[in-house]
Amino acid sequence: MSTAAATVRPREVLADLLPASRVRDVALVLGGAALTGLAAQISVPVPGSPVPVTGQTFAALLVGTTLGASRGLASLVLYALAGLAGVPWFAGGSSGVSVSFGYILGMLLASTVVGALARRGADRSVLRMAGTMLLGEAVIYAVGVPYLAYAADMSASTAVAAGLTPFLIGDALKAALAMGVLPTAWKLIDKR
């Protein structure tokens, strides 16, 4: 039954199930930015790293998958621009450019990638959702770690040790959470 439902609505993301309007889209973009800002306040310092563990990356990937590529990107652009303008909603209540700003730039791209994959049904099964989240995390690191190396004047291996390695277990847990939440949401919707 869920396979048939997935083929009936293959181009929809969860946000598309709400009645369509510009007001809806604006509210979703604002809500996605606010969710990311709130999740960034869950911030735990990592010894030996200038980058904390936050809920921000999970929120950015969740926003991209539930809103789709264009609204997800718009949410993350709004989040980044507001933080650059002084809104204290980057990790730990900070704002402006820091050595970890590259991760925020990576989140812009990652939300777009996972949103595009969600439009192709990647959020409908546990296995595809796992791959989507891992790809999204890889995109964030592909931008964030080189930026960290440049901004903090670190070697590539030091940047990997400080900005990637300590976060892998937490990212696996975030991916596992997303693997359970989004496919379950679709199954509940398909049963209605």
Side-chain angles (χ1 to χ4, degrees):
M1 175 111 179
S2 64
T3 304
T7 57
V8 172
R9 300 186 306 225
R11 298 265 182 228
E12 286 184 326
V13 293
L14 284 171
D16 294 333
L17 300 178
L18 299 171
S21 73
R22 288 192 197 276
V23 172
R24 172 202 69 176
D25 290 340
V26 169
L28 289 171
V29 167
L30 291 171
L35 175 68
T36 307
L38 280 171
Q41 303 319 301
I42 302 167
S43 179
V44 179
V46 175
S49 176
V51 181
V53 171
T54 69
Q56 174 182 26
T57 56
F58 178 70
L61 295 174
L62 189 64
V63 164
T65 355
T66 57
L67 301 186
S70 60
R71 287 182 300 236
L73 175 62
S75 290
L76 272 289
V77 166
L78 176 60
Y79 169 71
L81 291 175
L84 286 173
V87 174
W89 65 354
F90 289 163
S94 65
S95 62
V97 177
S98 70
V99 295
S100 63
F101 189 70
Y103 295 93
I104 294 169
L105 296 175
M107 287 178 223
L108 297 172
L109 182 57
S111 70
T112 306
V113 169
V114 299
L117 291 172
R119 285 237 178 258
R120 289 167 178 78
D123 59 342
R124 312 255 173 130
S125 76
V126 171
L127 189 57
R128 291 181 73 192
M129 193 65 218
T132 299
M133 288 292 113
L134 294 175
L135 179 60
E137 291 288 351
V139 168
I140 293 169
Y141 287 123
V143 178
V145 173
Y147 185 96
L148 174 64
Y150 171 76
D153 196 26
M154 296 178 171
S155 69
S157 62
T158 302
V160 166
L164 170 66
T165 307
F167 304 97
L168 294 177
I169 291 174
D171 287 341
L173 293 173
K174 293 173 194 176
L177 181 60
M179 287 166 28
V181 171
L182 294 170
T184 300
W186 277 111
K187 285 181 183 173
L188 290 173
I189 289 165
D190 287 342
K191 286 183 180 180
R192 292 189 325 173

